[in-house]
Amino acid sequence: ILPSGRTDRISHLDDMTPGQQPLDCIGRGKLTEGQLQGMVAKVKKLGLLQQEPPDCNGRGIIIAGGGRYTKHAWAVAARCRELGWTEGIQVWHLGPAEITESDRAKFLLIQAELVDAFEVRKWHPVRILTGWESKVFAVMNCPWQHVLFLDADAHPMMNPAEFFNHQDVQKTGSIFFSDCFKNDPSSWAYIFCG
């Protein structure tokens, strides 16, 4: 909720005491839901939007996986369902050549939506859309406000719903895991993200 109930200004962090400010993954102040709504209202009022922003509600899982990663993406989505995840799952891929008709049928059975990033790019242009760029693109263009992104080789061991209730996610809005190869703790990712 905005301080004093105001919605007419874009920045409200100055009015909050340090203990009130939620923090992002590197300790900077993060906007609250009310502040974000206030920003959108202000931008709309000023007529700065070319089109209406999407209504992003709820939570869901994004998996990037097509082509040689299709079977892995299916296994991750199926595992999420097996563990009790009942909310949305989207599996993003790069073009129709990456998903066969029999693959489509398998994803349909576990209620995982297939999303062709090249089709989405027609409405939300980006200069480069290949492997790892598609991961960020998928998160930015998914229909949910709260997202768990899983690589096609990341197999959850518990119901993903528990992730959203984790204290670090509640505190910062994000949590990161390193990949399976050994990372150097002095790298920029560890310095800035912990």
Side-chain angles (χ1 to χ4, degrees), residues 101-177:
E101 286 306 313
S102 66
D103 291 334
R104 288 184 191 288
K106 290 175 187 172
F107 282 104
L108 185 62
L109 285 174
I110 59 170
Q111 298 179 334
E113 177 186 5
L114 292 169
V115 181
D116 183 344
F118 289 165
E119 287 297 315
V120 175
R121 180 172 61 179
K122 292 176 182 176
W123 301 102
H124 303 283
V126 291
R127 188 171 56 90
I128 300 172
L129 186 57
T130 59
W132 64 267
E133 296 93 352
S134 68
K135 298 173 182 183
V136 175
F137 186 73
V139 171
M140 289 175 57
N141 291 288
C142 77
W144 303 299
Q145 181 178 11
H146 304 283
V147 179
L148 172 59
F149 176 86
L150 294 173
D151 265 332
D153 63 353
H155 294 266
M157 302 305 289
M158 63 183 187
N159 186 336
E162 295 179 38
F163 164 81
F164 292 100
N165 298 323
H166 190 276
Q167 66 182 4
D168 289 340
V169 174
Q170 294 292 314
K171 180 181 171 186
T172 66
S174 57
I175 191 169
F176 300 93
F177 304 91

Side-chain angles (χ1 to χ4, degrees), residues 4-194:
S4 307
R6 290 191 312 265
T7 60
D8 59 335
R9 293 186 11 209
I10 290 180
S11 174
H12 302 283
L13 289 176
D14 296 337
D15 298 335
M16 299 176 81
T17 62
Q20 289 179 296
Q21 290 184 356
L23 301 176
D24 65 10
C25 66
I26 59 173
R28 294 182 305 194
K30 184 175 88 171
L31 297 177
T32 65
E33 183 63 31
Q35 292 166 330
L36 292 171
Q37 290 173 0
M39 288 174 62
V40 169
K42 183 71 170 183
V43 169
K44 283 181 181 179
K45 185 177 178 181
L46 294 172
L48 299 175
L49 294 178
Q50 293 179 358
Q51 62 185 16
E52 195 67 20
D55 236 358
C56 295
N57 294 309
R59 57 191 191 176
I61 294 175
I62 299 288
I63 303 167
R68 66 183 179 155
Y69 299 107
T70 302
K71 288 176 179 46
H72 303 285
W74 181 88
V76 172
R79 177 70 175 153
C80 290
R81 293 293 187 218
E82 181 181 284
L83 292 168
W85 179 258
T86 59
E87 299 180 56
I89 297 175
Q90 288 186 337
V91 176
W92 285 62
H93 61 93
L94 299 172
E98 286 200 336
I99 303 290
T100 67
E101 286 306 313
S102 66
D103 291 334
R104 288 184 191 288
K106 290 175 187 172
F107 282 104
L108 185 62
L109 285 174
I110 59 170
Q111 298 179 334
E113 177 186 5
L114 292 169
V115 181
D116 183 344
F118 289 165
E119 287 297 315
V120 175
R121 180 172 61 179
K122 292 176 182 176
W123 301 102
H124 303 283
V126 291
R127 188 171 56 90
I128 300 172
L129 186 57
T130 59
W132 64 267
E133 296 93 352
S134 68
K135 298 173 182 183
V136 175
F137 186 73
V139 171
M140 289 175 57
N141 291 288
C142 77
W144 303 299
Q145 181 178 11
H146 304 283
V147 179
L148 172 59
F149 176 86
L150 294 173
D151 265 332
D153 63 353
H155 294 266
M157 302 305 289
M158 63 183 187
N159 186 336
E162 295 179 38
F163 164 81
F164 292 100
N165 298 323
H166 190 276
Q167 66 182 4
D168 289 340
V169 174
Q170 294 292 314
K171 180 181 171 186
T172 66
S174 57
I175 191 169
F176 300 93
F177 304 91
S178 61
D179 211 334
C180 57
F181 60 85
K182 184 177 177 71
N183 287 304
D184 179 3
S186 66
S187 73
W188 68 270
Y190 281 91
I191 292 169
F192 291 108
C193 299

